[in-house]
Structures are given as structure tokens and as C-alpha cells.
Amino acid sequence: MPITVDIDVMLARRKMSVGELAERVGITPANLAVLKNGRAKAVRFATLAALCEVLECQPGDLLRWEPDTGDDDVAAAGIAVSEG
């Protein structure tokens, strides 16, 4: 997925545990782990705002876009790719 989640970076900078962040944001540690490990398909703006408030950061500190390097995701999405 071309969106990378950098919650680990902010947790380390704030010297905060996943459990503490989950509690302060109001989500389960399991749901935070899904987001943190890049397995989430979506994130609510309210959750993103709460993460930014607790971590005292901007959304761009938590999320970044990286270009996709392969056609695997395109094929998995059911998009036809023609070759010349």
C-alpha cells in the first residue's frame, strides 16, 4: 500500500507505549495495532485528530505517501494493465 503509517516514530519521540496511546485516544490496542502496522484500509478523521492531539503532531507526521513499486496492488484491485 502506498500510504505508510509512522505511529511508531511518534511513539518513540513521545516515549509513550501503544497501550497508553490507545487508552488516551479511546480505541482498543488491537485496533491501534492494525493501524500502526499498516493493515488498516481506512482511518476516521476523528481518530486521526485524536492521535494528533495526544501525540501533539500533524497528520503528515503520522501518514506519508510512497509511490507503488509493483503491479501486484493494481492486479489485486482488479485493474487491467495493458502492455503496449
Side-chain angles (χ1 to χ4, degrees):
M1 178 183 260
I3 300 296
T4 301
V5 181
D6 288 327
I7 291 176
D8 283 339
V9 173
M10 294 309 296
L11 283 171
R13 288 182 183 167
R14 302 296 186 252
K15 297 182 172 93
M16 187 181 298
S17 71
V18 172
E20 180 183 353
L21 179 60
E23 183 178 327
R24 291 179 61 185
V25 169
I27 61 176
T28 66
N31 283 341
L32 182 57
V34 167
L35 179 59
K36 183 175 78 72
N37 295 325
R39 294 188 317 265
K41 299 293 181 197
V43 60
R44 293 177 190 262
F45 280 172
T47 302
L48 183 58
L51 287 165
C52 289
E53 182 177 351
V54 170
L55 293 170
E56 298 177 353
C57 67
Q58 294 295 313
D61 296 325
L62 300 176
L63 304 173
R64 68 186 148 87
W65 177 81
E66 293 181 349
D68 196 8
T69 56
D71 290 339
D72 293 338
D73 290 336
V74 173
I79 300 169
V81 178
S82 76
E83 296 180 15

